[in-house]
Amino acid sequence: MHTSVVSLLVAAVGAARPGQSFENTRRQARSCGTYEPAASVTAPKVNPWAQITPADTAAVWDLLHRPSSGLNLTDPPFTASQTDNYVAFIDTLHTNKSAVLPYIDGNGPQPAKYARAVIFEGGKTVPVSQEYMIGPLPVSRNTKIQKLDYIFNGGKGGTVPFNARFFDGPRDAASEPLLASVMTEMADITTELFGGAYYGQEDERTDLTYTFDTPVSSDGSSAVRIVMFRYPSEFEFLQPLDFYVILDIPGTDPSHYTLRGIVTNEKFFPTVAKFREAYDAGQIVNPYPQPRDYEWAQLTRKEEMGTRPLENKLAPQSVELGGKRYKIDTKENYVEYMGWSFYMSWTRQLGLMLFDIKFKGERVMYELSMQEATAQYAGNTPKAASTVYHDTHYGFGAMSAVLVEGFDCPFGATLLNASYSDGRQTTVKPQAICIFEADYGFPLARHRTSSFGPFQGYGFSNLGVVKASALHVRHIATVGNYDYLFDYAFNVDGSIEVGVRASGYLQASPYYKTQGRFGPRVHNATQGSYHDHVVTFKADFDVLGTKNSFQVTELKTVKQSQPWFPELGLFDQMELQASNLKVEKQLNFAENGQAMYTIISDKTNAWGEKRGYRITPGHSNIYLTSPNSPFSRKQSEFSKSHLAVTRVHDTEPYANSWQNINLPEAPQQDFSKFFNDEKVEDEDITVWFNLGMHHFTRSEDIPVTLFTEASSSIVFAPQNFFDRAQEGDLQNRRWIETGEDEDELNFETYGVPLANCAINLREPVTEILPWGRIQV
Ligand SMILES: *[C@@H]1O[C@H](CO)[C@@H](O)[C@H](O)[C@H]1NC(C)=O
Ligand SMILES: *[C@@H]1O[C@H](CO)[C@@H](O)[C@H](O)[C@H]1NC(C)=O
Ligand SMILES: *[C@@H]1O[C@H](CO)[C@@H](O)[C@H](O)[C@H]1NC(C)=O
Ligand SMILES: *[C@@H]1O[C@H](CO)[C@@H](O)[C@H](O)[C@H]1NC(C)=O
Ligand SMILES: [Cu+2]
């Protein structure tokens, strides 16, 4: 179905009693505003956090490849081997806050733009991955290529040892011959056990596929490759086989690569010969054959599950009946909505980042951005036991793509393109970000004055109720098996909700009987491996400037006596005990919610209270379960507490670095080093927080995990920031009074007419644009 148009008539609500009517009920139906484009607005300043342009990316590429750069690069990189030097990618370097503030708040110059480039230098005597900063941009005679060291605190700057670098095609190609030869030696056995064999990626007899995990190294001095085989299909994540090959692959010379062993049937065999011996002795079996078919794993409707009554009708939709109530500067990626304003930015590794978030013209945050998504698995098979992912390793920006209007985001949402550098070129993912305003599903505020007596008239003398809505900015990154939905909601009351949800495929393990403590059996031969998801965010609060403190208001029970209760003596009473955090710290939310965490400014409201924003835990605020695992040791410190408070420094823009995952024992970036007892009172501070879930896998994760369940959130809300609630200026409300006559109702509608309009919803597939390439 390509062009079906669904017509929906939204009638005026007939809540009034006969004889009553809303002013516009009888008006002629007109078209609703849902598909009207958002009005445009001009950002106050050129976006200083903007992504570097495709032309700048190409110019940086050319500069790096000039012989005079001395980098000796192989171009194009896909022709390179791991012992060559080549560009891994070019991205945008974070703009220093110290340079931005004088610009956005005063007459300071627009900060210069810089690129960062990762170069895999396998051709060096000591092979490494090296990051560079290139700027100022656009490329001119003043543009320099310098090592990018200052944002990494591990001691080696932007240098990552070869063993720990990203496992890309050339690295894969170098270890492939050993894997193919080991598997070919066992082809007769794998064929008998699994009905499949692996002779090498390109060999046409091959009918198994495999996956491998991170970390591939511990401290960069060696590397290991844990390979798990699967049946090949687009749904292979759910079709694991109980067959593992572990390779030691240190350095760049494949003649040093060796087989560490083979694992199946919960047994480890250090050599093919030992494995064959056990097989010939009848000790190796495959009691739970993995089905080759994969229809069960597809996210399609399953006829055999039947139908539900009335489910053939179109489900409720969120539509912007009155038209869009937000404005966008699409050039500067700047948005205004109901008093809110913010800039958006996009990077290859982190995806969407928000900057300069203001409400009613006053700054609340300098930056709000996702920093890392960690996933750590549990099990007694080689892969599940050791897997930790940092998904920025693969790139949230690069992995984000089209959103389906009406399903991922409401019909009529504003869909923005996102792009990332891909070699010299820039790839465009159309419709990768959506912006829309939606109904909360409940009112923001209401009160009914109850009248005396239970059944008199309407039961009230007056009733006030206010509509609640929020502007959402959303994108979904599909990083391998998982689909992460990131949602930033700006609420009309001045609060911000950050939400992250996960859907997509489990990274499953082969099932066998003794595995229950690592997760349930979820299909014939598949076990849902337990894992933690910890998604780290940065909230650089600048509540009314940079002089902020982190106040903890604990709710304590104290002994109290009162003269009018002499008979009680000393009795228990609750009391608020507020104190400011003195120095940088990682901390956890108090048990039973018995503490409030507020970023307070140095300014006071009309009542003399410090104006602030509080952090309200939402759903599933968690941190990593296993703090001392060798696979998530020093490279994952940011995932080990609910919150962390640090001083802002240009040298500490990120919680993590994208190749840190492979350096648990010798991190390139060690978040714990941020905590060096710096004062955080009346200072420029950043709050780092974790969302996520302990993913207790279940058969309902088949075919995919459900967004309803796999969700986590947090809210930032004004705390004495204003003198009163931010609803009084909203017109989307009703004030209903009963009149003299018992039957008379008076509605005050504050000049916001109801919609009486027809919507022609359009099937999104007709609008989806193909990926683009910007040629420069
Ligand atoms: C340039 O790199 C290649 C590997 O790609 C290497 O063989 C060659 O020696 C390097 N040249 C110099 C001058 O370092
Ligand atoms: C998978 O399990 C179901 C339910 O036990 C069974 O009917 C089916 O035959 C199994 N399929 C395979 C390929 O083992
Ligand atoms: C950002 O600040 C750091 C620390 O002061 C400095 O080393 C670096 O060069 C600055 N980056 C840019 C792009 O100016
Ligand atoms: C979004 O991407 C599509 C496809 O590459 C392109 O045709 C369109 O012009 C882009 N839109 C904007 C606003 O850049
Ligand atoms: Cu999960």
Side-chain angles (χ1 to χ4, degrees):
M1 186 169 69
H2 269 245
T3 51
S4 140
V5 168
V6 187
S7 254
L8 192 81
L9 196 72
V10 183
V13 186
R17 293 182 26 152
Q20 304 276 320
S21 73
F22 296 117
E23 62 207 77
N24 59 351
T25 311
R26 310 255 172 260
R27 261 193 228 152
Q28 202 58 20
R30 59 187 167 82
S31 124
C32 299
T34 290
Y35 288 114
E36 282 166 17
S40 62
V41 63
T42 303
K45 298 269 169 146
V46 170
N47 185 339
W49 305 279
Q51 203 173 4
I52 59 168
T53 65
D56 281 341
T57 300
V60 167
W61 177 274
D62 294 342
L63 181 69
L64 294 171
H65 286 81
R66 271 184 214 164
S68 59
S69 74
L71 293 166
N72 184 22
L73 301 177
T74 301
D75 182 24
F78 68 79
T79 64
S81 77
Q82 63 176 3
T83 51
D84 294 324
N85 309 314
Y86 55 94
V87 176
F89 62 78
I90 295 169
D91 200 0
T92 307
L93 182 66
H94 194 88
T95 315
N96 279 338
K97 185 175 179 180
S98 63
V100 171
L101 286 182
Y103 167 65
I104 53 169
D105 289 341
N107 298 317
Q110 190 182 328
K113 295 302 293 181
Y114 279 73
R116 62 193 287 196
V118 180
I119 301 185
F120 289 161
E121 299 181 334
K124 290 270 167 78
T125 323
V126 178
V128 293
S129 158
Q130 179 67 53
E131 286 219 32
Y132 295 88
M133 59 189 276
I134 300 102
L137 301 177
V139 171
S140 71
R141 240 175 284 122
N142 299 327
T143 302
K144 284 206 203 65
I145 305 170
Q146 294 164 271
K147 285 195 173 171
L148 175 59
D149 289 331
Y150 71 91
I151 59 173
F152 307 106
N153 66 10
K156 294 199 194 104
T159 308
V160 170
F162 173 84
N163 285 312
R165 92 172 198 204
F166 186 77
F167 214 102
D168 61 346
R171 249 189 122 176
D172 191 65
S175 63
E176 170 72 8
L178 175 62
L179 182 64
S181 96
V182 169
M183 286 301 288
T184 300
E185 261 187 88
M186 299 184 290
D188 57 325
I189 306 181
T190 59
T191 301
E192 284 181 40
L193 283 174
F194 306 110
Y198 186 84
Y199 298 93
Q201 261 165 43
E202 303 300 323
D203 194 300
E204 57 186 25
R205 293 167 299 168
T206 292
D207 55 359
L208 296 180
T209 186
Y210 67 84
T211 179
F212 66 99
D213 54 51
T214 57
V216 300
S217 179
S218 167
D219 60 4
S221 64
S222 61
V224 67
R225 196 168 198 211
I226 296 172
V227 172
M228 179 180 78
F229 284 88
R230 289 168 169 168
Y231 282 150
S233 81
E234 283 170 46
F235 315 98
E236 62 181 77
F237 307 109
L238 293 181
Q239 296 183 292
L241 301 174
D242 180 24
F243 205 76
Y244 300 84
V245 172
I246 307 173
L247 306 176
D248 282 307
I249 50 162
T252 52
D253 180 357
S255 70
H256 295 146
Y257 296 177
T258 55
L259 174 69
R260 182 181 285 211
I262 296 144
V263 176
T264 184
N265 284 234
E266 298 178 271
K267 296 186 191 88
F268 175 69
F269 305 97
T271 61
V272 174
K274 286 257 191 290
F275 171 65
R276 187 171 287 281
E277 222 177 276
Y279 182 74
D280 290 343
Q283 290 159 10
I284 308 292
V285 291
N286 180 19
Y288 303 102
Q290 185 65 259
R292 274 269 188 187
D293 80 82
Y294 50 78
E295 224 171 58
W296 57 276
Q298 262 176 330
L299 190 53
T300 50
R301 196 177 116 71
K302 300 286 173 281
E303 295 287 344
E304 66 275 19
M305 289 177 75
T307 55
R308 299 189 206 183
L310 306 182
E311 222 287 313
N312 57 338
K313 291 175 188 282
L314 183 68
Q317 306 293 327
S318 177
V319 283
E320 291 159 307
L321 294 177
K324 294 196 169 35
R325 309 200 306 157
Y326 55 93
K327 297 179 182 179
I328 306 188
D329 180 335
T330 47
K331 184 161 171 282
E332 300 305 333
N333 287 313
Y334 169 82
V335 179
E336 284 184 3
Y337 166 71
M338 295 294 137
W340 288 106
S341 65
F342 56 89
Y343 289 85
M344 298 181 288
S345 174
W346 186 263
T347 69
R348 192 185 198 283
Q349 301 313 110
L350 303 187
L352 184 70
M353 305 169 86
L354 305 176
F355 288 94
D356 193 19
I357 300 171
K358 288 181 173 170
F359 188 62
K360 297 192 173 178
E362 294 184 303
R363 187 165 301 138
V364 176
M365 283 187 201
Y366 175 80
E367 176 182 349
L368 177 59
S369 60
M370 195 279 305
Q371 296 284 306
E372 190 53 85
T374 306
Q376 176 156 27
Y377 290 73
N380 60 350
T381 54
K383 182 173 166 63
S386 67
T387 297
V388 180
Y389 292 123
H390 284 173
D391 279 336
T392 62
H393 196 55
Y394 309 97
F396 282 90
M399 299 277 176
S400 292
V402 64
L403 298 165
V404 181
E405 198 186 326
F407 294 83
D408 289 323
C409 318
F411 287 106
T414 300
L415 294 158
L416 302 177
N417 290 352
S419 62
Y420 68 98
S421 81
D422 185 7
R424 188 180 182 277
Q425 291 170 314
T426 295
T427 293
V428 184
K429 304 276 191 72
Q431 310 171 350
I433 302 166
C434 71
I435 300 180
F436 60 91
E437 188 187 12
D439 185 1
Y440 272 20
F442 53 86
L444 175 64
R446 68 103 65 190
H447 184 68
R448 170 178 60 87
T449 55
S450 44
S451 60
F452 298 103
F455 299 113
Q456 280 178 21
Y458 293 98
F460 62 87
S461 56
N462 58 57
L463 191 162
V465 62
V466 189
K467 188 82 188 152
S469 49
L471 187 80
H472 296 254
V473 184
R474 177 176 291 180
H475 72 108
I476 300 180
T478 305
V479 186
N481 53 320
Y482 262 118
D483 296 69
Y484 292 97
L485 183 157
F486 297 97
D487 190 273
Y488 300 88
F490 295 87
N491 300 331
V492 286
D493 65 351
S495 61
I496 303 172
E497 179 160 1
V498 180
V500 58
R501 292 171 192 272
S503 189
Y505 289 97
L506 290 180
Q507 184 190 278
S509 294
Y511 169 73
Y512 43 91
K513 274 198 169 129
T514 54
Q515 267 182 326
R517 69 209 149 104
F518 304 114
R521 182 185 190 182
V522 295
H523 204 257
N524 296 54
T526 304
Q527 178 237 13
S529 290
Y530 173 82
H531 55 278
D532 278 350
H533 293 278
V534 182
V535 187
T536 305
F537 287 82
K538 174 185 183 183
D540 177 354
F541 281 92
D542 276 6
V543 181
L544 303 164
T546 53
K547 264 190 134 189
N548 289 175
S549 302
F550 186 87
Q551 188 183 58
V552 183
T553 307
E554 289 180 275
L555 193 50
K556 286 277 169 73
T557 309
V558 295
K559 294 286 180 204
Q560 190 188 63
S561 67
Q562 296 295 358
W564 53 87
F565 283 142
E567 70 276 24
L568 293 181
L570 279 176
F571 61 92
D572 279 1
Q573 175 68 274
M574 290 181 290
E575 171 176 303
L576 302 176
Q577 295 182 0
S579 62
N580 289 348
L581 195 66
K582 300 285 180 241
V583 294
E584 298 175 306
K585 197 179 177 187
Q586 285 189 268
L587 66 161
N588 294 328
F589 288 124
E591 278 275 310
N592 194 34
Q594 278 182 224
M596 173 174 70
Y597 306 87
T598 314
I599 291 63
I600 52 170
S601 70
D602 55 345
K603 315 218 168 33
T604 51
N605 69 5
W607 320 117
E609 300 290 343
K610 286 273 170 68
R611 299 179 63 189
Y613 256 74
R614 78 163 179 243
I615 302 169
T616 308
H619 181 57
S620 190
N621 297 117
I622 60 142
Y623 49 86
L624 211 59
T625 303
S626 168
N628 292 315
S629 154
F631 309 106
S632 56
R633 183 101 14 104
K634 299 300 290 178
Q635 94 285 41
S636 298
E637 295 293 338
F638 46 81
S639 61
K640 297 179 184 175
S641 62
H642 287 143
L643 295 171
V645 182
T646 65
R647 272 276 280 284
V648 169
H649 295 294
D650 285 338
T651 51
E652 296 178 357
Y654 306 116
N656 198 22
S657 66
W658 77 278
Q659 289 188 103
N660 215 20
I661 184 61
N662 290 329
L663 289 164
E665 297 292 353
Q668 180 187 31
Q669 174 75 351
D670 183 349
F671 185 71
S672 67
K673 285 193 182 167
F674 283 13
F675 306 89
N676 51 353
D677 287 341
E678 282 182 279
K679 240 179 108 261
V680 291
E681 227 174 344
D682 287 323
E683 296 288 353
D684 190 1
I685 56 177
T686 287
V687 176
W688 312 82
F689 61 93
N690 282 316
L691 301 183
M693 73 184 291
H694 296 299
H695 196 159
F696 298 99
T697 54
R698 52 176 186 165
S699 46
E700 287 81 3
D701 285 314
I702 304 298
V704 297
T705 294
L706 307 178
F707 276 141
T708 45
E709 231 278 69
S711 85
S712 180
S713 63
I714 197 165
V715 174
F716 306 109
Q719 179 71 18
N720 305 321
F721 188 85
F722 297 103
D723 306 332
R724 58 177 296 144
Q726 296 303 291
E727 53 72 37
D729 51 348
L730 298 174
Q731 286 167 258
N732 277 265
R733 65 200 301 147
R734 291 293 179 262
W735 177 254
I736 309 165
E737 284 180 347
T738 46
E740 291 292 307
D741 172 1
E742 222 200 33
D743 255 12
E744 191 187 333
L745 275 184
N746 296 313
F747 280 78
E748 176 56 74
T749 59
Y750 299 100
V752 178
L754 296 185
N756 180 12
C757 55
I759 304 176
N760 293 312
L761 297 179
R762 60 181 185 220
E763 197 60 48
V765 74
T766 62
E767 300 292 323
I768 291 175
L769 300 170
W771 291 13
R773 269 267 161 90
I774 297 176
Q775 301 286 352
V776 180

